[in-house]
Amino acid sequence: MTPADRSSPPLRAVRIETKCPVCGKPADLKVRPFCSKRCADIDLGRWLKESYRVPTEETPDDEAGEGSDGRSGHGL
Ligand SMILES: [Zn+2]
């Protein structure tokens, strides 16, 4: 007989450890999921860079909309 046969994993002991996505260090609660403000900035910078990036290589025809005279027929 084995009285001390408890094979239930102590869930409370499992700490959800967040790792910094930038350097992989344990995250700091203040700046999680990053380990430091610096890494947060780095990640933010990456994000902004990708946002600025236009997925399409086609150049938007912004200039075409400047010389249009579409305001003429706007009678209310
Ligand atoms: Zn980090």
Side-chain angles (χ1 to χ4, degrees), residues 34-46:
F34 308 101
C35 71
S36 62
K37 185 77 165 50
R38 196 172 176 179
C39 280
D41 282 342
I42 291 173
D43 192 71
L44 185 68
R46 284 180 187 172

Side-chain angles (χ1 to χ4, degrees), residues 16 18-21 26-36 40:
I16 301 171
T18 313
K19 281 187 180 176
C20 176
D28 192 346
L29 285 175
K30 292 175 194 168
V31 289
R32 63 179 175 171
F34 308 101
C35 71
S36 62

Side-chain angles (χ1 to χ4, degrees), residues 60-69:
D61 291 338
D62 264 341
E63 290 179 42
E66 208 173 310
S68 60
D69 233 332

Side-chain angles (χ1 to χ4, degrees), residues 44-64:
L44 185 68
R46 284 180 187 172
W47 249 93
L48 289 176
K49 258 191 182 178
E50 289 205 9
S51 292
Y52 276 123
R53 234 183 171 179
V54 186
T56 54
E57 281 200 23
E58 290 179 61
T59 45
D61 291 338
D62 264 341
E63 290 179 42

